[in-house]
Amino acid sequence: MNGEERQLLIDRYRGGVQAVDAALAGASDEDLDRRTGDGWSARMVVHHLADSETNSYLRLRRLLAEDHPEIQGYDEAEFARVLHYDRPAETSLAVFKAVRASTGELLERLSEDEWSRNGTHSESGPYSMDDWLEIYAEHAIGHADQIVRARAGLT
C-alpha cells in the first residue's frame, strides 16, 4: 500500500468517530435499546466499539513495539454477554473516541519501516500494519450503519 492510499484510510479511520456521532444523534434510551434482527441494539454496538477499539489500540502498539507478535482474537458475543452491554453508553462512547484520537495521532507519525511491521493473528494468520488499518478504517463506519439500522428497528 502506498502513502496516499494509507492516508485515505487514516482519514476514514478518523472519520469513524463522526459517523458514529451522526448515527447516535438525538437517540433516546428507547432508540438505543431497539434491536435489529441480529439481536444487537445501538447501545450494545457502542459498548462493542469501546471494547474493539481498546483491543485495536493494543494490537497496533504490539505490532510496532514487538517483533512478530501474536495478536489475540476475542469472542465479541461473549464480551457482550458478560460485560453488561445494557449499561449506560456514554462512558464507552468516550473511551471509543479517546482511544481512536490517540491512535489517529500515532498513525500520522509512522515511517515506512514502521508500516512494514507485522505479526500473526490467532484466528486469521498473517497480520500486517496495513491489514490493521484496512480493518479499523471500516470498522466504526460499518457499525455506525448498524446503529442506524438498530434505531430504526431494521434487520
Side-chain angles (χ1 to χ4, degrees):
M1 181 179 309
N2 67 40
E4 186 176 313
E5 292 168 325
R6 277 194 198 109
Q7 189 59 55
L8 288 172
L9 289 175
I10 291 169
D11 293 344
R12 190 155 173 84
Y13 174 83
R14 287 179 176 269
V17 169
Q18 290 77 23
V20 170
D21 278 343
L24 292 169
S28 67
D29 277 340
E30 182 179 304
D31 292 335
L32 292 177
D33 292 328
R34 192 173 295 116
R35 292 180 186 239
T36 62
D38 65 8
W40 283 72
S41 68
R43 182 184 310 277
M44 293 171 74
V45 172
V46 171
H47 292 301
H48 164 72
L49 284 167
D51 289 338
S52 177
E53 201 65 32
T54 53
N55 272 286
S56 77
Y57 176 97
L58 291 173
R59 288 173 177 179
L60 178 71
R61 282 149 178 83
R62 290 193 64 216
L63 285 168
L64 289 168
E66 300 174 15
D67 289 333
H68 308 289
E70 181 174 343
I71 304 302
Q72 189 63 44
Y74 69 101
D75 186 337
E76 296 170 0
E78 186 66 2
F79 269 47
R81 190 181 74 73
V82 301
L83 297 179
H84 302 278
Y85 276 19
D86 60 340
R87 68 187 190 277
E90 293 80 13
T91 303
S92 286
L93 183 60
V95 167
F96 162 71
K97 290 178 178 183
V99 171
R100 191 158 274 229
S102 176
T103 297
E105 291 171 355
L106 179 59
L107 293 173
E108 297 288 354
R109 295 176 173 261
L110 299 180
S111 69
E112 278 302 315
D113 284 344
E114 290 168 318
W115 279 110
S116 71
R117 298 185 59 82
N118 58 70
T120 303
H121 192 284
S122 64
E123 297 169 347
S124 60
Y127 192 80
S128 69
M129 291 286 293
D130 286 335
D131 292 332
W132 181 96
L133 182 58
E134 288 175 349
I135 292 165
Y136 290 103
E138 295 302 324
H139 189 252
I141 291 170
H143 282 303
D145 291 341
Q146 184 183 16
I147 289 168
V148 169
R149 290 191 312 276
R151 286 184 62 187
L154 302 173
T155 58

